[in-house]
């Protein structure tokens, strides 16, 4: 395991203030991005089937609704290509602001979108278009946020600072689930939620985006990119270089993320919410009320947040790969408990199941920002991190809720879904073991040769 110093300056008082600004900006930005993302996924499981795909019938409408969640993943690589190219050419900071505005605008427009009953087939078509814009945004957002956090981080604390953009994900899930629970349980219960209440959380994104842009514009550019710019060493075609020299690294790293994504999107992708709330009369298996399910997921997202940050801190001590191994073992130990606990119809047992699941989710996610940053050379790092993340999301999470819905419909039991998730996890576990732990490797452009070699365990 490498322990060489980074290029980050010593943490003086001014430096500490800048680190706090960076941490806050990355948390705020990723929270808003993922609030928007999870809001859509939850709404897809709760209301979009009946509002936009009703003519397809209850069961097929659900599959179509989840398919729109998955389609957006197919556009993540394009967003990653664009953001990666310009992020490696003109800087991390500019792309972070652009992606945040794009995501927030698409989410706000969903809040005013007419339904199928109002404008017919144009409604699902427009919904899909806005979902594609969300996918483009997400593809570029994550890479920029994690590079700003990790490339600013002091020696020995990349995992800790890299965990800040990561905890924006469970915070986003907490906000999305919490606001939806408030709407379904207090402000617009029953039919009112279907009529107008579901729109309010989407419209709130407009306010959040203004806050996010102000915070992100106040942060300095990454010190690694500043050094690249000063030396005029920006790569003209970073994506071509990435795939020419590091295609196998991209594939294996994407597979490590695929395992986390396939599992995580059972809850964050809206599938579990749909599984638990679909009435038995409509072919459901549990038939719980929306509000207690949303509150159970919101509560479990707090557990996920704590575990995610813990994983980032722990990875600074025991290495990124060892932290991943803990996560895969925790996942495999709990994957067959999630649906039986949901099947009880008890909100507290549902909360327990999702919370147990969150242990593996956090320990395969908290360190990922530092892990991916340390895998790729400085000159193509934004492209490498963003594209690998996008490909892993497609393999693991794009159609995981859709596949889960089809499996339950075909087999009549959620056990088939547990086996599916476990299979993807095993593949990710093997990919993790094949990649060398590079914790502490220097990140600056002066160390490009070291950054470009010895990625795999079979290399000397």
């Amino acid at each position: 395991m490498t322990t060489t110093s980074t290029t980050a300056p010593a943490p003086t008082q001014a430096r500490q203030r800048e680190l706090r600004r960076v941490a806050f900006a990355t948390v705020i930005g990723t929270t808003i991005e993922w609030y928007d993302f999870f809001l859509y996924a939850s709404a897809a499981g709760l209301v979009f089937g009946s509002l936009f795909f009703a003519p397809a019938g209850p069961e097929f409408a659900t599959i179509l609704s989840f398919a729109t969640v998955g389609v957006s993943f197919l556009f993540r690589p394009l967003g990653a290509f664009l953001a990666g190219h310009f992020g490696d050419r003109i800087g991390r900071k500019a792309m972070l602001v652009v992606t945040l505005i794009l995501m927030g605008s698409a989410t706000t427009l969903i809040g005013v979108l007419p339904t199928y009953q109002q404008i017919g087939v144009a409604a699902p078509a427009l919904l899909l278009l806005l979902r594609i814009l969300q996918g483009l945004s997400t593809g570029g957002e994550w890479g920029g946020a994690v590079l700003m956090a990790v490339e600013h981080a002091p020696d020995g604390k990349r995992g800790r600072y890299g965990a800040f953009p990561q905890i924006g994900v469970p915070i986003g899930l907490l906000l999305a689930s919490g606001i939806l629970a408030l709407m379904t349980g207090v402000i617009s219960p029953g039919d009112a939620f279907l009529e107008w209440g579901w729109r309010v959380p989407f419209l709130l994104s407009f306010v959040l985006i203004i806050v996010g842009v102000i915070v992100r514009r106040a942060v300095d550019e990454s010190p690694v990119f500043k050094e690249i710019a000063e030396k005029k060493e920006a790569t003209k075609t970073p994506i071509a270089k990435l795939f020419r020299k590091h295609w196998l690294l991209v594939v294996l790293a994407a597979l490590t993320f695929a395992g986390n994504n396939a599992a995580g999107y059972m809850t964050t992708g809206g599938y579990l919410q749909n599984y638990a709330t679909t009435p038995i009369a409509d072919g459901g298996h549990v038939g719980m009320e929306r509000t207690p399910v949303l509150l159970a997921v919101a509560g479990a997202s707090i557990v996920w947040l704590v575990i995610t940050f813990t994983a980032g801190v722990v990875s600074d001590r025991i290495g990124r790969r060892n932290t991943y191994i803990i996560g895969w073992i925790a996942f495999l130990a709990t994957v067959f408990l999630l649906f039986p606990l949901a099947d009880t119809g008890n909100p507290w047992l549902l909360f327990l199941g999702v919370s147990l699941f969150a242990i593996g989710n956090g320990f395969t996610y908290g360190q990922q920002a530092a892990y991916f940053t340390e895998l790729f050379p400085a000159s193509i790092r934004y492209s490498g991190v963003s594209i690998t993340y996008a490909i892993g999301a497609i393999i693991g999470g794009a159609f995981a809720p859709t596949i889960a819905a089809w499996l339950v419909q075909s087999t009549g039991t959620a056990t088939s879904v547990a086996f599916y998730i476990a299979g993807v996890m095993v593949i990710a576990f093997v990919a993790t073991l094949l990649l060398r732990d590079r914790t502490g490797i220097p990140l600056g452009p002066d160390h490009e040769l070291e950054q470009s070699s010895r990625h795999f365990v079979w290399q000397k």
Side-chain angles (χ1 to χ4, degrees):
M1 185 173 68
T2 310
T3 56
T4 313
S5 171
T6 71
T7 58
T12 61
Q13 188 174 4
R15 173 74 173 150
Q16 289 287 2
R17 285 197 298 270
E18 175 62 16
L19 287 172
R20 285 193 292 270
R21 282 198 298 269
V22 170
F24 183 64
T26 54
V27 170
I28 289 293
T30 53
T31 294
I32 295 169
E33 282 272 343
W34 289 101
Y35 164 81
D36 291 349
F37 191 88
F38 294 143
L39 182 61
Y40 184 99
S42 295
L46 295 172
V47 297
F48 282 172
S50 60
L51 292 176
F52 293 94
F53 304 99
E59 291 185 347
F60 197 55
T62 297
I63 292 176
L64 286 176
S65 184
F66 282 137
T68 65
V69 177
V71 165
S72 74
F73 283 73
L74 301 180
F75 288 85
R76 280 193 186 188
L78 177 58
F81 272 70
L82 293 172
H85 175 81
F86 290 107
D88 283 326
R89 295 275 296 154
I90 66 174
R92 290 43 166 147
K93 179 179 174 179
M95 297 314 301
L96 283 177
V97 174
V98 170
T99 55
L100 187 62
I101 292 174
L102 180 60
M103 173 65 93
S105 300
T107 304
T108 303
L109 288 173
I110 291 173
V112 297
L113 194 63
T115 64
Y116 185 93
Q117 187 178 6
Q118 293 170 314
I119 61 171
V121 72
L126 289 171
L127 180 69
L128 183 60
L129 175 61
L130 293 173
R131 184 59 179 162
I132 288 171
L133 292 179
Q134 285 188 322
L136 289 171
S137 169
T138 306
E141 154 67 23
W142 187 81
V146 302
L147 291 187
M148 287 291 284
V150 177
E151 289 181 344
H152 271 92
D155 295 347
K157 292 186 177 180
R158 289 182 197 157
R160 175 188 294 269
Y161 281 89
F164 282 107
Q166 301 301 83
I167 66 173
V169 182
I171 296 174
L173 178 60
L174 174 63
L175 284 177
S177 299
I179 290 176
L180 283 171
L182 182 65
M183 297 305 298
T184 60
V186 180
I187 299 175
S188 58
D191 291 340
F193 183 70
L194 283 173
E195 291 171 3
W196 60 270
W198 69 271
R199 297 181 182 276
V200 175
F202 285 91
L203 296 174
L204 284 175
S205 183
F206 182 75
V207 177
L208 295 176
I209 191 176
I210 294 174
V211 176
V213 169
I214 292 172
V215 171
R216 281 195 163 172
R217 285 176 61 86
V219 176
D220 287 344
E221 179 59 90
S222 155
V224 171
F225 185 80
K226 282 183 178 179
E227 193 174 346
I228 291 173
E230 288 171 2
K231 296 182 178 182
K232 302 185 185 305
E233 292 180 350
T235 302
K236 292 184 179 180
T237 55
I239 296 169
K241 181 179 177 181
L242 172 70
F243 283 103
R244 185 175 68 252
K245 295 187 176 182
H246 302 290
W247 66 270
L248 182 57
L249 174 61
V250 171
V251 170
L252 289 179
L255 288 176
T256 65
F257 183 48
N260 170 277
N261 238 219
Y265 275 102
M266 287 303 100
T267 52
T268 61
Y271 177 73
L272 186 65
Q273 293 90 321
N274 175 266
Y275 177 85
T277 59
T278 300
I280 295 175
D282 292 337
H285 294 261
V286 186
M288 297 172 63
E289 294 294 325
R290 292 190 188 109
T291 303
V293 171
L294 289 166
L295 289 174
V297 173
S301 67
I302 298 174
V303 178
W304 182 22
L305 187 160
V306 173
I307 298 296
T308 297
F309 189 77
T310 300
V313 174
V314 168
S315 75
D316 285 328
R317 296 180 176 274
I318 68 172
R320 319 297 178 216
R321 190 169 73 159
N322 288 338
T323 309
Y324 266 110
I325 290 172
I326 293 172
W328 297 130
I329 293 172
F331 253 150
L332 291 169
T334 58
V335 66
F336 291 97
L337 297 175
L338 179 62
F339 289 102
L341 289 170
D343 285 340
T344 65
N346 185 316
W348 288 105
L349 291 179
L350 175 63
F351 165 72
L352 175 62
V354 181
S355 296
L356 290 172
F357 207 56
I359 298 173
N361 213 4
F363 269 94
T364 55
Y365 197 63
Q367 74 279 21
Q368 189 187 37
Y371 178 67
F372 271 26
T373 301
E374 291 167 336
L375 283 178
F376 294 98
S379 62
I380 56 171
R381 187 170 291 141
Y382 201 137
S383 297
V385 166
S386 297
I387 292 170
T388 301
Y389 182 88
I391 293 173
I394 290 176
I395 297 171
F399 295 102
T402 309
I403 292 170
W406 175 79
L407 285 171
V408 171
Q409 188 175 327
S410 301
T411 65
T413 173
T415 303
S416 57
V417 180
F419 275 107
Y420 156 64
I421 299 172
V424 181
M425 286 179 187
V426 169
I427 294 172
F429 197 168
V430 172
T432 303
L433 296 177
L434 293 176
L435 289 170
R436 191 184 297 275
D437 192 323
R438 292 158 67 86
T439 303
I441 191 170
L443 298 180
D446 291 340
H447 300 273
E448 187 94 6
L449 183 60
E450 181 181 354
Q451 296 162 4
S452 302
S453 60
R454 300 180 73 246
H455 293 103
F456 313 110
V457 293
W458 61 83
Q459 294 175 326
K460 300 296 184 182

